[in-house]
Amino acid sequence: MVQQEERYKGKGLRRCKLCGNSRGMIRAHKLYICRRCFREVAKELGFVKYG
Ligand SMILES: [Zn+2]
């Protein structure tokens, strides 16, 4: 189902929806955020600590 999300976003338009950074992007869980933001979001969502 992730491919559908990519198609919607388009090529090279994947950015962190929190800080806008395109580096270290994570699209797991359909979050589309960077690693940095993911760590903070993961806390709230209860995900296992990443990295
Ligand atoms: Zn971010």
Side-chain angles (χ1 to χ4, degrees):
M1 295 306 139
V2 177
Q3 292 180 348
Q4 292 180 351
E5 293 288 337
E6 282 188 327
R7 187 178 298 171
Y8 176 78
K9 292 287 183 180
K11 293 181 179 178
L13 295 178
R14 288 188 298 241
R15 278 183 171 184
C16 173
K17 64 183 179 180
L18 294 179
C19 68
N21 188 4
S22 60
R23 192 179 70 180
M25 279 294 302
I26 292 180
R27 56 187 178 181
H29 307 287
K30 300 180 182 178
L31 289 175
Y32 291 98
I33 56 178
C34 66
R35 290 179 63 179
R36 206 167 95 184
C37 291
F38 177 81
R39 290 181 64 177
E40 295 187 5
V41 175
K43 293 179 185 175
E44 296 181 0
L45 297 182
F47 290 152
V48 179
K49 186 175 181 181
Y50 188 89

